[in-house]
Structures are given as C-alpha cells and as structure tokens.
C-alpha cells in the first residue's frame, strides 16, 4: 500500500490521537482544507479510516469525526511478567477489543517454559475471540523479563528464545520480542508520568529490578540489549567482600527483601507480612515496624538510582513495578538521591501494573502500521 505524505501524516495522527475531525487534523498537521480533503478521501478509498458520526465544532458547525477503521487490522500485546501474563488485543488506534489477565502459579525469577505455556494459552484464547470485522492480525509484541538482541546477536546468552518453548506465534504475523522494562518506559513516555520529557529513566522494582532509558525520545537498547540492566551491577562493595555479578538485583528484588523482613520481624508483633502488598498496607496504616522496613528498602533503592543518575544524568526517574510504584517509597528515595547524586526529579508511575503491556501495545501498533504500508521487511 502506498500513501501520499499527507495521507500518511493523517493516518499516523489518527493512530496517535484517536477520533478527530478534518478541521482538527488539518490545524494540527498544518494541512490546507483541499489537501486535508484529498488525504481523507485517499484513506477512505484504501479502507483505512471510517466516519463515526459528527461533533459540534467551535464555530457552531458540526463536523464529521473519523477514526482508524476497525477492519484495517489489529495487534496483540503481551506482558510475559514474573507473576502475571497480561494481554491486550486492540485496533490500530488502541481501542481495546479483548483483554485478559493470567496469574502464574508462582513467581518466576527468569523467563521459563511455564511462562511460555501461559502465554500460549492467553494468545490462543485471544485468537478464538477474534471477530472477522476486526481485520487481520498485523503485529504482536511480547514483553519479556530478559534482555533482547536481534537475530545477529547471541540469542542463546539472553534466554529470549525460551518464550517459544511452548508458544508458537500465529503464522505470517510479525512477532517482536522487547525487554519488559523498556516497554514500560515507552508507555510512561507516551501516556504516563514522563509525558513531555524526551530524556528520563524508568526503574522497575518487583521480583526483579530493571531500568529503561529514554534518550531524546528513543529507547536505548545497547549493543548487547543490556542498556539499563542495572540489576547486573556487581555488588556488594566493601572490605573483605567480593562483588558478585547480578547480586544487586537479587538483593533489591522483593523476594530477598521480604526474606529479610521476615527474619527481622519481632515475634512479639505476631505474624510477619505475607508479601509486599501486605507490608505496604500495614505501613500505610501507620505500623511502625512495617514503615521502618519500607523506608529502609526505599533508601537502598535510592542508592541504586543514585548510580544511574551519576552515570546518565536523566533529570527524571520514574518509579514503577509491582512494588516500586508505591507512593510510600518516593520521599526516602528522593532524599537519598539528593544526598548521593546530581539533581533529579523522582516521580511515581501513573500506569502501575499496566505500564508494560501498554508499552508493548504502542510498539505493536507502530510495527503494524509499518507492515500495513510495506515499510518493513
């Protein structure tokens, strides 16, 4: 499919902003009325847009509102997480057609065949629910909890191919693997706490930790797909101790953290919190012991962020992940970063657990538009 430059610009604008009128699009894109009319006619003829009614304009006139046609195609985004598998099936302008959430039987520290099996079930369910007027499945992005390299890289070293142990992508569908934290950073950039910031860092803290780096509006993957793998920092640094690769992630991650909480919990206070959700709930209610552990862990997270700030000076750090997004962490994290590193704004994710799958969806839509227009191999 070949489109003129103006038609392509209109299509991308509808993908980005959703339903719009021709006057709105023409003003935003700087297109004259005749050019706008010609572009819309071109897109209508190609079956890529559809009218959905009319809205009241600013001058009292009604204008027809258009959106990307539902039958133009759809995408699937999957967050293959450590505790849950999330899936979204949506149109090219991100209208949700189907969603599902599948908890894993237990937390997965790495990408495993069990994750692959649950992904296979989730995708099969989505395909069964697909309706004919949704058009073709154009692209799929799977966010995975490991670094990702291209075909020319050492895929065996990343374990990324484990996702295909029990899952086979639908035939003739563009399926792309992306690091899960990078997906979350993409979502925060477009829809969340980092909107308006071209450069920032996103730190995810959950069972594992990871960092997504957005530099000048582009995710930095790194030569080995390892940019932002802050959990691989050798740790600890102290006299008489030998730094261990990846120990920072094991220490900061919530499983090791909760093991320390349980070991330190006074017997006189009864049963310790079962997990981080209960710990945060108790801290939020004013439990002094729970709050002490949360603040102590926040200080450790702040020290990790200070390393990031000292190296890349992002200006903004967004805290996210199942545990990291808690607003209870931010004050202590800010205090520690301010003390140890350069000035940086610390904020909390506004997308919470949906960040990764929303970022995967955004990347899938970008990929699908390129496939639709023949701009990719």
């Amino acid at each position: 499919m070949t489109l003129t430059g103006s038609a392509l610009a209109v299509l991308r604008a509808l993908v980005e902003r959703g339903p719009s009128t021709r006057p709105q699009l023409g003003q935003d894109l700087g297109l004259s009325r005749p050019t706008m009319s010609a572009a819309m006619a071109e897109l209508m003829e190609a079956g890529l847009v559809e009218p959905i009614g009319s809205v009241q304009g600013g001058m009292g006139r009604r204008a027809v509102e258009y959106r990307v046609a539902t039958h133009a195609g759809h995408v699937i985004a999957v967050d293959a997480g450590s505790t849950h598998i999330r899936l979204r099936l949506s149109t090219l302008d991100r209208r949700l057609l189907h969603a599902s959430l599948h908890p894993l039987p237990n937390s997965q520290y790495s990408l495993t065949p069990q994750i692959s099996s649950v992904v296979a079930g989730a995708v099969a369910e989505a395909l069964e629910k697909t309706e004919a007027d949704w058009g073709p499945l154009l692209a799929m992005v799977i966010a995975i909890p490991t670094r990702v390299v291209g075909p020319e890289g050492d895929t065996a070293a990343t374990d990324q191919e484990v996702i295909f142990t029990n899952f086979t992508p639908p035939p003739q569908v563009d399926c792309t693997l992306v690091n899960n934290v990078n997906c979350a950073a993409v979502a925060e950039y477009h829809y969340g706490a980092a909107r308006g910031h071209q450069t920032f860092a996103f730190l995810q803290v959950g069972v594992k930790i990871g960092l997504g780096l957005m530099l000048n509006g582009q995710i930095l993957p790194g030569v080995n797909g390892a940019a932002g793998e802050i959990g691989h920092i050798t740790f600890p640094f102290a006299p008489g101790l030998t730094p261990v690769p990846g120990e920072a992630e094991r220490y900061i991650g919530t499983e090791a953290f909760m093991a320390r909480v349980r070991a330190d919990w006074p017997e006189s206070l009864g049963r310790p919190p079962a997990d981080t959700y209960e710990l945060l709930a108790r801290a939020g209610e004013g439990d002094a012991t729970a709050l002490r552990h949360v603040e102590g862990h926040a200080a450790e997270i702040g020290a990790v962020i200070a390393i990031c700030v000292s190296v890349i000076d992002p200006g903004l750090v967004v805290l996210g992940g199942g545990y990291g997004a808690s607003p209870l962490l931010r004050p202590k994290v800010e205090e520690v970063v301010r003390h140890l590193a350069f000035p940086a704004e610390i904020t909390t994710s506004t997308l919470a657990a949906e960040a990764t799958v929303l970022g995967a969806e955004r990347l899938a839509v970008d990929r699908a538009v390129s496939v639709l227009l023949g701009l990719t191999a």
Side-chain angles (χ1 to χ4, degrees):
M1 185 179 300
T2 301
L3 296 178
T4 61
S6 56
L8 180 58
V10 171
L11 177 63
R12 292 195 181 280
L14 287 171
V15 167
E16 175 69 27
R17 60 181 289 171
S20 306
T21 65
R22 287 193 293 183
Q24 289 171 337
L25 291 165
Q27 181 176 4
D28 290 349
L29 299 173
L31 299 178
S32 67
R33 186 175 299 178
T35 301
M36 188 67 235
S37 296
M40 193 61 73
E42 185 179 347
L43 292 170
M44 291 280 288
E45 184 177 355
L48 295 176
V49 302
E50 60 189 10
I52 56 172
S54 61
V55 295
Q56 193 76 32
M59 302 297 292
R61 297 178 180 176
R62 300 194 66 81
V64 176
E65 196 169 38
Y66 297 87
R67 71 182 182 190
V68 177
T70 302
H71 59 258
H74 60 277
V75 301
I76 290 179
V78 179
D79 171 13
S82 299
T83 60
H84 293 77
I85 305 301
R86 287 179 167 82
L87 180 146
R88 286 177 64 90
L89 187 156
S90 55
T91 64
L92 299 187
D93 55 354
R94 298 182 297 105
R95 281 177 283 128
L96 185 63
L97 300 173
H98 168 74
S100 61
L101 175 65
H102 307 265
L104 294 169
N106 45 62
S107 297
Q108 307 289 303
Y109 191 77
S110 59
L111 188 59
T112 63
Q114 188 174 51
I115 290 177
S116 176
S117 293
V118 180
V119 167
V123 172
E125 176 187 271
L127 294 177
E128 288 178 1
K129 293 182 178 297
T130 300
E131 299 180 10
D133 60 359
W134 293 355
L137 174 59
L138 295 173
M140 177 184 298
V141 167
I142 305 177
I144 56 176
T146 185
R147 62 188 178 94
V148 176
V149 296
E152 71 286 351
D154 186 357
T155 57
T158 68
D159 287 333
Q160 66 191 59
E161 297 299 314
V162 172
I163 194 65
F164 300 119
T165 304
N166 299 305
F167 165 68
T168 301
Q172 299 180 331
V173 172
D174 184 90
C175 183
T176 305
L177 303 181
V178 182
N179 172 262
N180 61 336
V181 183
N182 285 347
C183 285
V186 167
E188 294 292 345
Y189 174 68
H190 287 286
Y191 321 120
R195 289 188 70 178
H197 293 264
Q198 292 292 302
T199 296
F200 71 96
F202 173 84
L203 180 72
Q204 178 170 292
V205 184
V207 175
K208 303 172 70 174
I209 67 171
L211 195 73
L213 301 176
M214 184 74 73
L215 302 179
N216 299 320
Q218 298 292 324
I219 280 289
L220 179 66
V223 174
N224 298 297
E229 290 288 351
I230 201 165
H232 287 257
I233 292 173
T234 53
F235 175 84
F237 289 103
L241 297 176
T242 302
V244 179
E247 188 64 16
E249 180 164 69
R250 284 184 285 272
Y251 182 80
I252 297 294
T254 55
E255 289 191 348
F257 168 52
M258 286 306 299
R260 297 194 298 274
V261 170
R262 287 189 287 269
D264 186 63
W265 199 263
E267 290 186 11
S268 61
L269 296 180
R271 179 184 62 82
D275 51 33
T276 54
Y277 299 103
E278 185 178 350
L279 177 70
L280 290 169
R282 291 194 193 184
E285 294 168 357
D287 184 312
T289 303
L291 190 57
R292 173 171 61 83
H293 281 292
V294 170
E295 289 187 344
H297 194 220
E300 294 166 338
I301 293 170
V304 171
I305 292 176
I307 296 172
C308 159
V309 172
S310 297
V311 173
I312 64 174
D313 190 21
L316 171 69
V317 179
V318 180
L319 300 175
Y323 177 79
S326 169
L328 293 177
L329 303 182
R330 178 178 169 183
K332 179 58 71 172
V333 169
E334 282 185 326
E335 177 187 328
V336 171
V337 172
R338 191 183 310 116
H339 174 66
L340 295 178
F342 308 117
E345 178 186 355
I346 309 296
T347 191
T348 301
S349 169
T350 59
L351 304 175
E354 295 294 315
T356 297
V357 73
L358 289 173
E361 179 187 64
R362 173 71 190 214
L363 295 173
V365 167
D366 289 345
R367 191 75 178 169
V369 172
S370 295
V371 169
L372 190 65
L373 300 177
L375 302 178
T376 186

